[in-house]
């Protein structure tokens, strides 16, 4: 595999995805401005849409974290 692009937001990601040569896009659910879901919908309209994997990094403090694990 090869890392085709690393983007710091939705506009850069849209530009990287536009040519249609990306097989898999890892999208953060929470992004400034446009969330990952909206960007995934835009990906679905591409001629060759990538598979989308959603990721989210959340810091859960102490006691709440233990309840989630």
């Amino acid at each position: 595999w090869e890392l085709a692009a690393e983007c710091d937001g939705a506009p850069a990601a849209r530009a990287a995805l536009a040519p249609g040569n990306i097989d898999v896009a890892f999208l953060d659910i929470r992004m400034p401005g446009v969330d990952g879901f909206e960007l995934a919908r835009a990906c679905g309209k591409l001629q060759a849409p990538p598979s989308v994997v959603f990721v989210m990094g959340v810091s859960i403090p102490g006691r709440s974290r233990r309840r989630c694990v």
Side-chain angles (χ1 to χ4, degrees):
W1 63 271
E2 177 183 338
L3 179 63
E6 185 175 341
C7 305
D8 62 358
R14 284 179 196 239
L17 292 163
N21 61 345
I22 307 288
D23 296 320
V24 179
F26 287 84
L27 304 179
D28 194 343
I29 291 173
R30 289 183 165 176
M31 294 187 294
V34 175
D35 66 25
F37 297 117
E38 187 175 333
L39 184 55
R41 281 190 289 276
C43 288
K45 296 176 183 175
L46 296 171
Q47 186 173 7
S51 297
V52 173
V53 177
F54 288 110
V55 295
M56 184 173 165
V58 177
S59 176
I60 303 172
R63 189 174 210 193
S64 296
R65 181 177 180 192
R66 286 190 294 275
R67 286 187 283 165
C68 293
V69 175

